[in-house]
Amino acid sequence: MAEPLRRRLPLLPLLLLAAGGLRAAERSGGSSSAMEELATEKEAEESHRQDSVSLLTFILLLTLTILTIWLFKHRRVRFLHETGLAMIYGLIVGVILRYGTPSTSGHDKPFSCSQEDRPFTTLLVNVSGKFFEYTLKGEISPGKIHNVEQNDMLRKVTFDPEVFFNILLPPIIFHAGYSLKKRHFFRNLGSILAYAFLGTAVSCFIIGNLMYGVVKLMKLVGQLSDKFYYTDCLLFGAIISATDPVTVLAIFNELHADVDLYAVLFGESVLNDAVAIVLSSSIVAYQPTGENTHAFDAAAFFKSVGVFLGIFSGSFMMGAVTGVVTALVTKFTKLHCFPLLETALFFLMSWSTFLLAEACGFTGVVAVLFCGITQAHYTYNNLSVESRSRTKQLFEVLHFLAENFIFSYMGLALFTFQKHIFSPVFIIGAFVAIFLGRAAHIYPLSFLLNLGRRHKISWSFQHMMMFSGLRGAMAFALAIRDTATYSHQMMFSTTLLIVFFTVWIVGGGTTPMLSWLNIRVGVDPDQDPPPTNDSFQVLQGDGQDSAQRNRTKQESAWLFRLWYSFDHNYLKPILTHSGPPLTTTLPSWCGLIARCLTSPQVYDNQEQLREEDSDFILNDGDLTVTYGDTTITANGSSGPHTATTNLDSRRTKSSSEEALERDLGAADHEVTSRGTRLVFPLEYNA
C-alpha cells in the first residue's frame, strides 16, 4: 500500500498547479468579460448620444425655419415658401453631415449564406459563444457592397420609411379634412372629383407610358444597367401624380385669392393624394399569371381595378365610421365637462383611424382624410368651446411641424441617402412627362366640366391649375417607402429632384403668375364670385345676399340636395346636438327611439345654430323680392304681395327645405328689400 501511495503523491502538486491555473484562467476570463460588458455599455451610451444629436438636428432645423418664416412674413417676402426654406436648411445640414463628419465604424464584413434562398428578418450570429441579434435593413447591390455607409451619424438621421407613414402623414392628412372649407368645397365637388379621380388616373397612365418609352430609349443607348418593367413605370406615374401645392395654397390664402380657384386646387390635392396612394397599391397588386409576371393580363388588370375600388371604399367607410363613433361618444357622455379628456379622446380616435386602416389592409391616408371630414361635420358640434379651440390648434401645429419636418428631411436625404441613382435621361423625361400628363387632364376635363357648369372655369384658372401642379410630401413618402430595387431607387432620386424644382421654382413664381393671369386677390372667403350673364345680377342694394344664396341653389346638384335632406333630418339629430328633433322627422311609431336619440339641447334651442356647411346644398327655386306691394321673381313675373310662387308652381316645401332656408335666413317667406334693382336675362326682358 505504501508504494502506490508514494506513486500518487507526486500527482498532488500537479493537481494543485492545475487548480491554480484554472483559477487564474477564470480570473482572466472574468476580467475580459467585464471589459466586454464595459465596452458594450459605452457603445450603448454612444448610440444614445447619437440618437439625441440626430433628433436635436431636426429640432434646430425646424426652429431655424420658424424664425426665418417670421422674418419673411415681417418683410412680406413671398418668393420662397416655408417648405422651400426647410429644404434648403436640410440640404446645408446634409452637406455638413456627409462631408464634415468622419467615419466612426468600419466593422462591416460580408458573410455568405449560400444555402438559404431568402433573407431573414432577424438573424442571430454566434460570436465566440455569444449570440448577437441583427435585423434586416434591405438589399445591397453587389457593386456597392464596399460602399456601405460607415458613418454612424448618417445612419441615425436616415429614418425608417414607416416613420413617415405612421407618424408624420396622419396629422397632415387629417388637418386637410378637418380644416376643409365645406361651403366652397361642396359647391365645386363635381369638378374636384373629376380632377382628383379621372385626372389622376389619366395623369398616371400618360406619365407611365411616356416613361416606358424613356426606359426603352435608355436601354437602347446603354444607360440602363438593370431591369425596369412597365409596371414600374406605371408605379412611378402613380407616385408622381400625387400633387401637393402647399406653396401655392399658402400664397393664395395669404393674398385671399379667388375662393373657387382655392377650393378646386385644395380639394384636388387632398383627394388626389388619396387616389394616388390607392392607385399605387393597385399597381403593386397587379400580378399576371404565367412565367412573365410583368406582361399584360386582362384578369390581373380587372383584379387590380377591383383592388382599387375595394381599398378606397373600405378605407372611406372605416374613416367615416370612426368619425361617427367619436361623435356618438362625445354626444351621449359628459366628456364636455372635462375638456382635457375630450380633446385627448378626439386626438386618439382620429389618429387610430390611420393605424386601424393600415392594419386591416386598407389605406390609412383615405381613412384619416374622411375621418377628418366626418369629425368636422359631426363631432365638432358636440365638443365644448375649449375642445373646439384645442383640437383646431393642436392639429394645425402638428400639421405645420410634420410637413416642415418632411421637407427638411428631403433636403437631408439628398446627401445622406445611400441608394441614389441619378439618370439624366430619366430625369429629363420625367419632367416632360409630368408636364404633358398635367396638361392632358387639366384642359380636356375643364372643357368637359364647363359644358355643365354655370360658373365656367376660365382659361386663367386653367392655366393657374396647370402651373400649380407641385409635388411634395406625399410623392416623397410614396417613393421612399420601397427603395429595394434598381428601378425604385432611380424613381426615388428623380422624385426628390422634381419636388425640389416644383417647390422652389414653381412655388416662387406663384405671385407673378397670379398677376400675369389677372386672377382676383383680396377676396373675402365668404364672398361669391361675380355672377355671369346666365343668371340675374344684383347691382346695388341689400338683396345681394339673397342673390348669392339663389345662385348657390342653382349650382347645387340634386344628389347633394338629397344627401343634405337625409343628413339634416336624421344624421345630424342622431349624432349631434343640432338639427330638428327626431320626433318631428321620424314616423310616429318611432317615438320612443326618437326621444332616446334626440339630445335635450335640441329642445332647449328654439333657434337652431347656423351650420357652416348649410349653404352648399340648396333647392332649385326663385329669389323672391318684395318691393312695396309687388312681388318680383327672377323670371320676371310679378304679382300681389300675397301671391308668391316658384317656377315649378310648388306652394309647399318639405321640412328639410324650410330648415335649410331658415339656416340661410332665406325661408320661403318674402324677403323685403328696399332700394334693390335687378337686371334680368335678355330673353325675359325682350
Side-chain angles (χ1 to χ4, degrees):
M1 291 295 296
E3 187 64 25
L5 181 62
R6 195 179 300 112
R7 284 198 301 265
R8 292 175 186 171
L9 286 176
L11 296 176
L12 185 61
L14 296 177
L15 293 174
L16 293 175
L17 181 62
L22 289 174
R23 284 195 297 269
E26 288 178 356
R27 285 195 300 270
S28 176
S31 176
S32 62
S33 177
M35 293 296 293
E36 290 179 359
E37 292 179 358
L38 183 61
T40 302
E41 291 179 358
K42 287 184 177 180
E43 288 181 1
E45 183 179 354
E46 180 66 18
S47 177
H48 173 73
R49 186 186 67 82
Q50 290 176 353
D51 288 336
S52 301
V53 171
S54 63
L55 292 177
L56 179 62
T57 301
F58 285 103
I59 291 177
L60 292 178
L61 278 175
L62 293 176
T63 304
L64 186 60
T65 302
I66 290 173
L67 293 177
T68 312
I69 291 170
W70 168 81
L71 180 63
F72 275 35
K73 288 183 179 294
H74 181 68
R75 299 292 184 182
R76 299 186 180 275
V77 177
R78 297 191 181 97
F79 68 88
L80 188 61
H81 187 247
E82 58 200 42
T83 54
L85 283 171
M87 293 170 68
I88 292 176
Y89 290 141
L91 283 171
I92 296 174
V93 174
V95 171
I96 294 174
L97 291 178
R98 165 57 59 189
Y99 302 107
T101 56
S103 298
T104 54
S105 64
H107 309 293
D108 294 332
K109 180 180 180 181
F111 290 92
S112 298
C113 299
S114 56
Q115 297 179 354
E116 305 297 337
D117 57 354
R118 63 181 181 86
F120 294 97
T121 304
T122 303
L123 191 65
L124 296 179
V125 179
N126 186 352
V127 181
S128 302
K130 293 184 178 181
F131 289 90
F132 296 89
E133 181 181 0
Y134 294 85
T135 56
L136 180 66
K137 294 285 292 184
E139 182 182 1
I140 300 174
S141 60
K144 294 187 176 182
I145 195 169
H146 298 293
N147 297 328
V148 178
E149 182 56 63
Q150 301 296 325
N151 193 320
D152 287 340
M153 189 61 197
L154 291 181
R155 286 181 174 180
K156 294 293 183 181
V157 297
T158 303
F159 287 96
D160 190 328
E162 295 303 316
V163 171
F164 294 98
F165 264 80
N166 296 330
I167 298 178
L168 298 177
L169 275 186
I172 295 176
I173 303 300
F174 182 85
H175 178 264
Y178 194 54
S179 63
L180 189 69
K181 296 184 182 299
K182 295 183 289 295
R183 176 175 179 236
H184 299 286
F185 177 84
F186 284 99
R187 171 181 292 173
N188 298 278
L189 185 59
S191 302
I192 291 172
L193 291 177
Y195 288 125
F197 284 86
L198 288 178
T200 305
V202 170
S203 176
C204 169
F205 283 99
I206 289 179
I207 294 174
N209 283 279
L210 290 176
M211 293 311 299
Y212 188 64
V214 172
V215 168
K216 289 294 185 182
L217 177 62
M218 292 173 61
K219 186 176 181 179
L220 187 64
V221 298
Q223 291 194 8
L224 197 66
S225 59
D226 208 337
K227 297 178 181 179
F228 208 121
Y229 298 106
Y230 178 68
T231 51
D232 294 328
C233 296
L234 287 180
L235 180 62
F236 178 72
I239 290 173
I240 211 64
S241 294
T243 60
D244 185 17
V246 57
T247 305
V248 176
L249 292 176
I251 295 175
F252 278 14
N253 189 50
E254 185 177 352
L255 296 178
H256 299 289
D258 189 281
V259 288
D260 279 337
L261 177 61
Y262 181 92
V264 171
L265 272 177
F266 180 79
E268 182 209 4
S269 66
V270 168
L271 294 180
N272 166 274
D273 290 345
V275 174
I277 190 173
V278 179
L279 196 60
S280 62
S281 300
S282 304
I283 294 172
V284 171
Y286 178 79
Q287 295 179 347
T289 57
E291 296 182 358
N292 190 355
T293 58
H294 295 274
F296 177 78
D297 184 84
F301 172 77
F302 286 109
K303 180 183 177 181
S304 296
V305 173
V307 169
F308 175 87
L309 297 176
I311 291 178
F312 195 93
S313 58
S315 303
F316 166 77
M317 289 300 299
M318 188 166 290
V321 167
T322 307
V324 167
V325 170
T326 310
L328 289 173
V329 171
T330 54
K331 177 184 177 181
F332 292 104
T333 61
K334 298 292 183 180
L335 274 174
H336 63 272
C337 300
F338 306 95
L340 179 61
L341 300 180
E342 190 178 37
T343 305
L345 178 68
F346 183 93
F347 174 80
L348 294 176
M349 291 292 290
S350 302
W351 201 304
S352 64
T353 305
F354 184 93
L355 301 177
L356 179 63
E358 292 288 336
C360 294
F362 296 109
T363 299
V365 170
V366 179
V368 79
L369 170 64
F370 286 100
C371 176
I373 296 175
T374 307
Q375 301 276 45
H377 190 58
Y378 297 114
T379 311
Y380 184 81
N381 296 321
N382 300 335
L383 301 178
S384 61
V385 177
E386 295 88 344
S387 295
R388 291 183 182 183
S389 176
R390 285 177 179 177
T391 54
K392 286 283 188 182
Q393 295 174 359
L394 173 63
F395 281 101
E396 186 176 3
V397 171
L398 290 177
H399 163 264
F400 172 82
L401 293 177
E403 189 171 59
N404 282 278
F405 183 93
I406 290 179
F407 279 94
S408 297
Y409 186 78
M410 287 184 198
L412 201 69
L414 188 63
F415 292 97
T416 60
F417 188 73
Q418 285 295 295
K419 302 176 182 179
H420 280 306
I421 298 178
F422 295 103
S423 172
V425 177
F426 191 86
I427 293 170
I428 295 174
F431 275 100
V432 175
I434 290 171
F435 178 83
L436 296 178
R438 183 74 176 171
H441 87 263
I442 289 294
Y443 295 112
L445 282 181
S446 299
F447 172 77
L448 296 175
L449 290 170
N450 282 338
L451 297 178
R453 284 179 61 101
R454 290 181 178 272
H455 185 62
K456 309 299 183 184
I457 303 175
S458 64
W459 282 107
S460 60
F461 278 22
Q462 295 178 41
H463 296 329
M464 194 67 216
M465 292 176 64
M466 173 68 191
F467 180 80
S468 303
L470 283 76
R471 272 60 179 178
M474 180 56 68
F476 173 79
L478 287 173
I480 200 176
R481 198 172 191 181
D482 182 8
T483 57
T485 63
Y486 169 84
S487 59
H488 289 192
Q489 292 166 9
M490 185 182 295
M491 287 155 50
F492 171 72
S493 302
T494 305
T495 301
L496 203 58
L497 294 182
I498 291 172
V499 173
F500 287 162
F501 178 84
T502 56
V503 170
W504 288 338
I505 306 302
V506 179
T510 301
T511 303
M513 183 63 70
L514 283 173
S515 176
W516 185 63
L517 293 175
N518 295 321
I519 294 177
R520 297 189 309 159
V521 294
V523 179
D524 184 358
D526 295 324
Q527 176 185 350
D528 289 320
T532 56
N533 57 3
D534 59 351
S535 179
F536 63 88
Q537 179 180 5
V538 179
L539 296 183
Q540 59 183 11
D542 299 328
Q544 184 174 0
D545 293 337
S546 301
Q548 292 171 354
R549 285 190 290 266
N550 188 65
R551 175 180 174 273
T552 309
K553 289 183 182 182
Q554 295 172 341
E555 292 192 355
S556 299
W558 64 271
L559 178 62
F560 301 108
R561 291 200 298 271
L562 292 177
W563 160 252
Y564 181 84
S565 176
F566 177 76
D567 178 63
H568 181 81
N569 289 336
Y570 304 107
L571 293 184
K572 273 293 182 70
I574 292 174
L575 301 177
T576 69
H577 300 300
S578 61
L582 289 173
T583 53
T584 62
T585 57
L586 289 177
S588 57
W589 54 271
C590 298
L592 179 61
I593 299 177
R595 285 190 295 272
C596 292
L597 295 179
T598 302
S599 174
Q601 285 89 330
V602 174
Y603 298 103
D604 296 339
N605 297 332
Q606 297 295 328
E607 190 172 329
Q608 297 293 327
L609 295 175
R610 183 187 185 278
E611 304 172 26
E612 293 181 359
D613 56 347
S614 62
D615 52 355
F616 65 81
I617 304 171
L618 298 171
N619 301 286
D620 290 324
D622 294 326
L623 174 67
T624 302
V625 180
T626 301
Y627 189 85
D629 295 330
T630 303
T631 300
I632 305 175
T633 59
N635 60 2
S637 62
S638 62
H641 181 80
T642 57
T644 302
T645 60
N646 289 331
L647 278 174
D648 56 2
S649 300
R650 287 178 298 180
R651 296 179 180 272
T652 60
K653 294 189 177 183
S654 65
S655 59
S656 63
E657 294 172 354
E658 293 175 351
L660 174 57
E661 293 193 353
R662 183 171 62 251
D663 289 340
L664 291 172
D668 61 346
H669 61 272
E670 290 140 356
V671 182
T672 302
S673 178
R674 298 292 180 181
T676 300
R677 184 160 64 92
L678 299 178
V679 176
F680 301 101
L682 293 177
E683 58 267 31
Y684 296 127
N685 293 333

